[in-house]
Amino acid sequence: MPTSSTPKKELVLGAFEVMAPTFLANSWRHPRAKPEKFASLQFWQDLAKQLDEGGFDFLFFAEHLAYPMDQGDKVPEVVIREAVQFPVHDALFAISGLAAVTERLGFVVTSSTTAGQPYLNARNFGTVDHLSGGRIGWNIVTSDMQTALVRLLGHREVTPHDKRYARADEFVQLCLKQWEGGWSDDDPQPMDKERGVFNDPEKVNWISHEGEFYSLNGYFPIAPSVQRTPTLFQAGASPRGRDFAAKYAECIFTQERDVEKAAALVKDLRARAEAQGRPGDSIKIINGMSAVVGPTHEEAVQLRKELLDAPSREAMAALFMGWSGVNLMDFDPDTTLADVRTEIGQSLLAQYQDGRTVGEVIDGLRETMGGFKVTGTADEVADELEHIAEATGIDGYLVEHSFGGTESYRDFINEVMPRMRDKGILPQQPRSGSLREMLTGTPTPRLPESHPGAALRASR
């Protein structure tokens, strides 16, 4: 524990969003929610400007390529009726429009290694790194909702969990080869009008890759960007996912709700990073957190209750099915999930295989999904956030939205963040620079030498 003379860790803050009317089912029905314009650029520009001016470091977009579906191709009617991860739009297309109206806010977009292709992924993020001035990050996922992806993308079958990570490893390696090795570092674009040389052919490198899952032979046609490689996020919580994160991620998104478990997870992730040859403190661990703030403790508790009461049991079960592949409505409510297996959300399912009945799981989903739930006055919330950070060793919070839009963050920005600054756990002046510099503290926008991607650079 820090002493009074020990400088406190200045935390990073992100805002957790999805380009949809809501994240948790039915919170769009709350009077403070404004979901009507979720598909418009203006809606997200207003939010980005609020976060930028308020001192947040980045805006994080989760992704749902599909929608909750059971093993028998059935989409529960509640999914469509109550907007349970339906509709969901593609956030990457909005980033340049958000970067244009902000000064320093970073952006993290989720993109799947199961659904995507390395060349297109590298091309997309390389382009957006240019357009955002080096403020883009990639949240690497292997994708939930595998059943729906079989139907929508033509996959022959649900890809087994460990095979998804093997494919993800090759996917990321191939992206890194393009970003870091496609162009030499030493002035590859002289843009010399007199000599007629825009790109130096000796410094644009042919990439050859023949792997188990992918092949690529050619040039990477995206000019070198500010970061080259976007800042890398990952959120896998299974043992295989933790190893993958320890190898590649610069920021790891966790969703623990218990202080002791979070502290153990932080210790485990840093140890795994060291086993990969990386400094344990080179990865930043950012935990999910939902803050509900009120003028009084009682008013905050009442608002939290309203949010928890909004989703129906049926909607919450559908949400769980999308993340885990398990339809809770198919089970006797008095049984447990002890013997249930899944190839989709193994770590999520494991959290609920603790003896609780299916009925208890469904009724508790509203409170147990997501990260820490912090409720109270601004002083109480700031105090608890300080305590959690000190007790767990996390490096920041990803603030989960409550209502959608600017209303979700207003009280947190206006009331809680000033108190966090007074405590010394937020910087007095908002961070700036590339996303990598802001979040990891590196002296340049480029990957550090300890990252495996740095070994793929072409220096000729």
Side-chain angles (χ1 to χ4, degrees):
M1 296 289 288
T3 66
S4 58
S5 60
T6 304
K8 294 183 178 180
K9 180 190 295 184
E10 292 183 344
L11 304 174
V12 299
L13 282 182
F16 184 92
E17 288 285 343
V18 63
M19 194 163 277
T22 184
F23 174 61
L24 289 177
N26 272 5
S27 62
W28 58 268
R29 297 180 63 185
H30 194 276
R32 289 176 63 176
K34 306 292 183 185
E36 297 85 359
K37 301 293 186 181
F38 89 93
S40 71
L41 182 60
Q42 185 66 54
F43 179 94
W44 297 104
Q45 285 180 326
D46 289 345
L47 174 60
K49 287 189 287 187
Q50 179 197 38
L51 298 171
D52 189 47
E53 295 165 3
F56 269 73
D57 295 298
F58 64 99
L59 170 56
F60 177 104
F61 284 101
E63 173 65 293
H64 305 296
L65 287 170
Y67 35 78
M69 176 187 288
D70 66 20
Q71 301 293 331
D73 289 358
K74 179 182 178 182
V75 180
E77 194 260 356
V78 67
V79 169
I80 298 174
R81 184 182 71 246
E82 298 188 21
V84 182
Q85 299 182 339
F86 189 97
V88 179
H89 294 188
D90 193 329
L92 190 61
F93 288 97
I95 300 305
S96 60
L98 305 187
V101 298
T102 53
E103 296 293 331
R104 38 159 298 280
L105 185 71
F107 305 95
V108 180
V109 177
T110 302
S111 184
S112 167
T113 58
T114 301
Q117 287 290 327
Y119 171 75
L120 295 177
N121 188 76
R123 186 174 185 268
N124 290 343
F125 277 92
T127 299
V128 178
D129 196 49
H130 276 291
L131 297 176
S132 65
R135 291 187 279 152
I136 190 66
W138 172 26
N139 180 41
I140 308 165
V141 297
T142 61
S143 287
D144 53 13
M145 301 184 187
Q146 289 287 318
T147 305
L149 290 182
V150 169
R151 309 299 179 263
L152 296 173
L153 297 180
H155 292 195
R156 293 183 180 274
E157 60 185 0
V158 172
T159 308
H161 179 270
D162 285 354
K163 184 176 180 180
R164 289 207 303 276
Y165 274 107
R167 180 163 55 192
D169 192 283
E170 185 178 340
F171 189 111
V172 174
Q173 277 285 324
L174 188 47
C175 286
L176 289 169
K177 285 182 180 180
Q178 295 174 85
W179 288 321
E180 295 295 329
W183 298 71
S184 297
D185 287 347
D186 182 21
D187 194 22
Q189 292 185 296
M191 304 182 196
D192 190 324
K193 292 184 178 181
E194 289 189 9
R195 292 191 299 130
V197 179
F198 192 95
N199 304 305
D200 185 342
E202 294 296 318
K203 297 177 181 179
V204 182
N205 306 304
W206 186 270
I207 298 171
S208 294
H209 176 91
E210 296 293 337
E212 179 181 358
F213 301 100
Y214 305 104
S215 65
L216 185 150
N217 287 280
Y219 295 114
F220 181 54
I222 303 299
S225 65
V226 177
Q227 298 183 109
R228 295 282 185 111
T229 296
T231 305
L232 300 176
F233 277 67
Q234 215 274 332
S238 68
R240 184 68 180 85
R242 293 187 194 188
D243 284 339
F244 182 85
K247 182 177 181 180
Y248 292 115
E250 299 171 87
C251 299
I252 300 178
F253 171 37
T254 57
Q255 285 190 296
E256 288 295 335
R257 294 173 295 278
D258 177 86
V259 168
E260 291 186 2
K261 290 180 179 179
L265 178 57
V266 169
K267 185 177 180 180
D268 177 72
L269 289 169
R270 298 202 193 285
R272 288 175 191 256
E274 291 174 355
Q276 294 282 353
R278 303 173 64 194
D281 60 1
S282 68
I283 57 173
K284 301 301 178 183
I285 300 171
I286 303 170
N287 204 88
M289 182 273 296
S290 167
V292 173
V293 186
T296 67
H297 182 83
E298 292 72 24
E299 289 174 278
V301 169
Q302 176 59 34
L303 181 54
R304 172 72 73 184
K305 182 178 184 302
E306 292 172 5
L307 291 169
L308 293 176
D309 288 346
S312 65
R313 295 178 84 242
E314 187 183 9
M316 292 305 298
L319 194 66
F320 186 88
M321 180 175 66
W323 287 337
S324 70
V326 176
N327 188 353
L328 296 175
M329 303 303 288
D330 288 343
F331 293 84
D332 182 328
D334 294 325
T335 62
T336 72
L337 297 172
D339 298 323
V340 177
R341 298 293 178 266
T342 181
E343 286 292 345
I344 300 174
Q346 293 183 359
S347 56
L348 176 72
L349 178 63
Q351 295 178 31
Y352 297 91
Q353 294 176 311
D354 56 1
R356 279 176 286 182
T357 67
V358 170
E360 289 171 336
V361 170
I362 294 176
D363 289 336
L365 284 175
R366 302 175 183 89
E367 295 187 33
T368 57
M369 280 188 172
F372 290 103
K373 304 291 189 293
V374 183
T375 305
T377 65
D379 285 323
E380 290 171 335
V381 170
D383 287 345
E384 187 166 356
L385 294 180
E386 180 181 32
H387 165 70
I388 291 171
E390 290 181 348
T392 61
I394 62 173
D395 299 293
Y397 293 103
L398 195 52
V399 183
E400 300 162 1
H401 74 262
S402 302
F403 312 106
T406 58
E407 190 67 20
S408 288
Y409 305 98
R410 184 194 64 194
D411 293 340
F412 188 82
I413 289 172
N414 293 340
E415 303 294 335
V416 178
M417 289 177 67
R419 288 165 170 81
M420 294 176 72
R421 291 189 187 99
D422 290 342
K423 290 174 173 291
I425 58 174
L426 285 184
Q428 292 300 312
Q429 295 298 323
R431 299 176 176 93
S432 61
S434 69
L435 183 60
R436 177 167 289 113
E437 290 169 289
M438 287 200 294
L439 299 190
T440 71
T442 55
T444 77
R446 301 292 301 279
L447 281 172
E449 292 299 322
S450 60
H451 192 279
L456 300 174
R457 289 175 184 151
S459 58
R460 72 180 187 204

